[in-house]
Amino acid sequence: MIRRLMPKKYYKVLFYITVIAVFILAITPNGNVDIIPNMDKILHATAFFVLSLELNRASSTITHRLRNMGLLLSFGIFIEFAQSLTPTR
């Protein structure tokens, strides 16, 4: 039996905190991330990897996991839309 590091409810709380942090970081000016080529893409991939890992740990059924993938895709589209409305991005 695989033992969880934290209960599911803590992963859910951690997920919501991460969602807020990712959204704030996505709509604020990015500073000097252009030092490394494609750093923006690396940061997006890392953020969504962490979000999907947290949601996976908070879910127990395949139905919930499939729903979560759709929700993360919708969140990614929402971030792109919000960035298009932000003049500094």
Side-chain angles (χ1 to χ4, degrees):
M1 179 176 194
I2 298 176
R3 205 170 154 180
R4 290 188 177 265
L5 298 175
M6 295 188 295
K8 289 181 184 184
K9 65 181 176 179
Y10 293 138
Y11 281 107
K12 289 178 184 178
V13 170
L14 186 61
F15 168 76
Y16 289 120
I17 291 169
T18 307
V19 162
I20 292 167
V22 166
F23 182 73
I24 290 170
L25 290 171
I27 63 169
T28 56
N30 58 3
N32 283 334
V33 297
D34 296 335
I35 295 171
I36 299 173
N38 297 319
M39 188 62 174
D40 186 44
K41 307 293 186 249
I42 294 169
L43 292 174
H44 277 258
T46 303
F48 279 91
F49 175 76
V50 170
L51 287 171
S52 65
L53 181 69
E54 291 169 354
L55 268 182
N56 186 29
R57 299 301 292 171
S59 304
S60 56
T61 65
I62 190 70
T63 305
H64 289 133
R65 289 180 179 155
L66 289 172
R67 178 202 62 200
N68 293 341
M69 284 192 299
L71 290 173
L72 279 179
L73 178 65
S74 299
F75 181 59
I77 292 169
F78 175 72
I79 285 177
E80 293 298 326
F81 176 71
Q83 284 179 341
S84 72
L85 299 176
T86 306
T88 59
R89 294 294 294 201

